């Protein structure tokens, strides 16, 4: 098969988005990849599930225009993100009368106009916030020290309506961690690559037209098989030994391996890497209304006691997302669905509902959170959103980490 990486056996453990990204990168370079996945299908925390005869996502996800590596990966495996994702200029709209809408103007004019025309906010606060954002850009979104988002906003004088309707909801959505606990530097990094980007398209919302299985997991699986990779779903790796020359997995020898499991499973395979993370939950509550029901904009903020965000999936199906620890965890599924329907107040009741809860959906993105190394041993590497130190738990961070680990394998002797 030639020289270099061609024919080298490489194992990728974990078939989420980090593992998929690593496997595709390695396979494209000519490695003989075996991808292990304990579950029935690929996709990890962003996959399709069959419930009551319906195909749903195991959790509602939103992509941003700044997710360049993710969009490139989707295209690489033959899917079309322009068809499978609906691109909208950013709007933050909630049921309490707040609205911030960015026009299709070049950056940073789009953000400036969005702030200055935001509904429900006074002029003084708008101008103060515009100056604050300009200051962040001048400092290249680097803070002198990490702290909680709440403390950072207090120090910056961001204590008005924009804090309640924009910054804190965005923080919870992006970091899955409440502002009083979330890392200000990680939140600033997210703002840098979205609202603060020099590319207008980076601020766009990318909302799914299809389920996430069709977006990446299924086309990636087909692509990997077509290019000679081996997929082992329903296969949980039991033993791993990293030697000087090779990595042994359940008795099989590989030139290198990448651990791309969820962080809570890494130390079972590599005990030296003790887990130091705390976790936050996410619930997705699907409500099926008549097909004539739709939201004015397909992303709506709920400022009620339970609701946070609602995504219009089309044909009357709404997906309500609840992130981080909160009162919603204490009530049962039926009551939770009922409370959210009341907050939506659409003039009719949903005819069907489904609640999907994940108790350890993401790691808590706390200040000064230590991240694990990418290189664990000479031929053993780590991937996963928890290892991408620049971001909180995001799909883009997962994809970037998978590609980085694959490139380290390719560069290793």
């Amino acid at each position: 098969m030639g020289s270099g990486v061609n024919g080298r056996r490489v194992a990728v453990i974990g078939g989420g988005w980090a593992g998929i990204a690593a496997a595709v990168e390695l396979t494209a370079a000519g490695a003989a990849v075996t991808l292990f996945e304990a579950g029935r299908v690929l996709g990890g925390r962003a996959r399709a599930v069959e419930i009551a005869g319906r195909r749903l996502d195991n959790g509602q996800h939103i992509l941003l225009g700044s997710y360049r590596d993710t969009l490139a990966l989707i295209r690489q495996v033959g899917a079309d993100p322009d068809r499978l994702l609906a691109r909208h200029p950013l709007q933050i709209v909630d049921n309490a009368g707040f609205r911030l809408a960015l026009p299709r103007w070049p950056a940073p004019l789009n953000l400036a106009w969005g702030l200055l025309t935001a509904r429900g906010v006074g002029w003084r606060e708008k101008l103060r916030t515009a100056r604050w954002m300009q200051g962040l850009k001048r400092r290249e979104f680097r803070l002198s020290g990490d702290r909680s988002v709440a403390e950072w906003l207090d120090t910056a004088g961001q204590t008005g309506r924009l804090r309640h309707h924009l910054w804190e909801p965005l923080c919870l959505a992006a970091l899955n961690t409440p502002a009083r606990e979330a890392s200000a530097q990680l939140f600033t990094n997210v703002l840098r690559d979205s609202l603060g980007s020099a590319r207008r398209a980076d601020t766009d919302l990318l909302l799914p037209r299809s389920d996430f299985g069709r977006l990446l997991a299924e086309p990636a699986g087909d692509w990997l098989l077509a290019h000679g990779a081996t997929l082992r779903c329903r296969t949980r790796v039991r033993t791993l030994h990293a030697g000087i020359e090779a990595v042994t997995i359940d008795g099989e020898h590989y030139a290198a391996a990448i651990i791309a499991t969820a962080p809570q499973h890494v130390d079972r395979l590599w005990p030296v890497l003790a887990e130091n993370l705390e976790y936050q939950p996410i619930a997705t509550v699907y409500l099926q209304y008549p097909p004539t029901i739709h939201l004015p904009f397909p992303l709506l903020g709920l400022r009620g006691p339970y609701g946070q965000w609602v995504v219009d999936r089309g044909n009357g199906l709404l997906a309500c997302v609840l992130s981080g620890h909160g009162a919603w965890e204490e009530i049962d599924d039926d009551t939770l669905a009922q409370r959210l329907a009341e907050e939506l107040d659409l003039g009719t009741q949903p005819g069907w509902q489904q609640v999907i809860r994940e108790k350890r959906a993401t790691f808590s993105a706390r200040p000064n959170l230590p991240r694990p190394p990418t290189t664990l041993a000479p031929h053993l590497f780590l991937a996963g959103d928890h290892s991408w130190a620049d971001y909180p738990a995001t799909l883009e961070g997962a994809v970037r980490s998978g590609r980085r680990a694959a490139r380290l394998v390719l560069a290793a002797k």
Side-chain angles (χ1 to χ4, degrees):
M1 294 183 66
S3 59
V5 74
N6 283 350
R8 289 176 61 196
R9 297 189 72 209
V10 181
V12 178
I13 305 170
W17 286 45
I20 289 171
V24 169
E25 187 89 6
L26 289 164
T27 300
V33 173
T34 299
L35 177 57
F36 295 89
E37 167 53 42
R40 186 173 54 85
V41 297
L42 302 180
R45 74 167 189 265
R47 67 185 191 279
V49 294
E50 297 278 352
I51 298 178
R54 296 170 179 248
R55 258 180 84 102
L56 302 169
D57 289 324
N58 67 321
Q60 178 60 59
H61 303 274
I62 296 171
L63 279 67
L64 297 176
S66 59
Y67 282 18
R68 302 181 199 181
D69 282 54
T70 300
L71 295 173
L73 176 62
I74 292 169
R75 291 189 178 96
Q76 185 176 359
V77 298
D80 182 2
D82 295 329
R83 181 178 61 85
L84 297 170
L85 296 167
R87 181 179 286 267
H88 301 273
L90 177 67
Q91 286 193 42
I92 305 296
V93 186
D94 67 30
N95 62 340
F98 176 81
R99 180 176 182 268
L100 181 146
L102 271 56
R104 295 183 184 273
W105 294 359
L109 293 177
N110 61 336
L111 177 59
W113 182 259
L115 282 173
L116 292 177
T117 58
R119 188 172 63 201
V121 183
W123 278 101
R124 288 185 180 180
E125 185 177 356
K126 292 175 182 179
L127 293 172
R128 184 169 63 247
T129 299
R131 288 194 296 268
W132 175 59
M133 287 295 294
Q134 283 300 111
L136 285 175
K137 289 184 179 181
R138 285 195 301 270
R139 296 189 296 274
E140 297 180 332
F141 292 87
R142 294 174 183 166
L143 305 183
S144 58
D146 204 0
R147 70 203 84 166
S148 75
V149 170
E151 292 171 331
W152 176 58
L153 293 175
D154 286 342
T155 302
Q158 290 293 314
T159 57
R161 290 181 62 81
L162 285 172
R163 175 176 182 149
H164 179 69
H165 293 276
L166 179 63
W167 303 126
E168 289 187 346
L170 279 183
C171 171
L172 187 56
L175 276 67
N176 194 36
T177 308
R180 65 182 180 276
E181 303 171 7
S183 162
Q185 185 60 70
L186 288 177
F187 185 47
T188 305
N189 293 348
V190 172
L191 294 179
R192 175 197 66 203
D193 293 345
S194 54
L195 290 177
S197 174
R199 288 196 345 146
R200 187 213 63 79
D202 286 350
T203 64
D204 286 346
L205 289 171
L206 307 182
L207 300 176
R209 287 192 175 112
S210 178
D211 62 70
F212 272 72
R214 294 186 176 97
L215 181 64
L216 179 66
E218 292 167 15
D222 293 341
W223 186 94
L224 286 166
L225 289 173
H227 288 78
T230 300
L231 304 186
R232 296 187 185 176
C233 292
R234 303 178 188 265
T235 304
R236 186 178 298 278
V237 170
R238 304 295 179 184
T239 62
L240 180 152
H241 174 73
I244 297 175
E245 299 294 335
V247 178
T248 304
I249 295 173
D250 292 343
E252 295 185 74
H253 301 298
Y254 296 87
I258 296 172
I259 299 176
T261 66
Q264 59 265 35
H265 301 309
V266 172
D267 60 354
R268 181 180 61 81
L269 296 171
W270 196 247
V272 175
L273 199 65
E275 183 188 352
N276 60 2
L277 299 175
E278 298 177 1
Y279 293 89
Q280 294 281 347
I282 293 179
T284 302
V285 181
Y286 290 101
L287 302 175
Q288 180 66 66
Y289 288 90
T292 53
I293 294 292
H294 60 85
L295 301 178
F297 184 73
L299 178 67
L300 174 70
L302 286 181
R303 302 283 79 88
Y306 296 105
Q308 295 173 11
W309 296 97
V310 185
V311 178
D312 191 336
R313 299 301 300 261
N315 295 315
L317 181 64
L318 304 183
C320 305
V321 184
L322 300 95
S323 301
H325 291 297
W328 62 268
E329 296 176 276
E330 307 303 321
I331 57 179
D332 61 61
D333 289 355
D334 289 342
T335 303
L336 180 58
Q338 180 183 346
R339 295 287 184 269
L340 292 172
E342 291 170 355
E343 290 181 26
L344 280 164
D345 191 21
L346 296 176
T348 185
Q349 290 298 308
W352 180 86
Q353 64 196 42
Q354 179 66 50
V355 180
I356 300 176
R357 301 181 190 241
E358 177 58 59
K359 292 183 179 180
R360 297 205 291 183
T362 68
F363 61 86
S364 294
R366 298 178 182 273
N368 299 305
L369 181 69
R371 300 296 184 97
T374 302
T375 301
L376 304 179
H379 303 282
L380 182 65
F381 304 91
L382 181 70
D385 56 13
H386 60 294
S387 70
W388 192 261
D390 208 35
Y391 280 174
T394 63
L395 295 175
E396 177 72 359
V399 170
R400 291 187 185 186
S401 75
R403 288 187 153 185
R404 176 181 62 187
R407 289 163 186 166
L408 288 172
V409 169
L410 298 174
K413 301 296 184 182

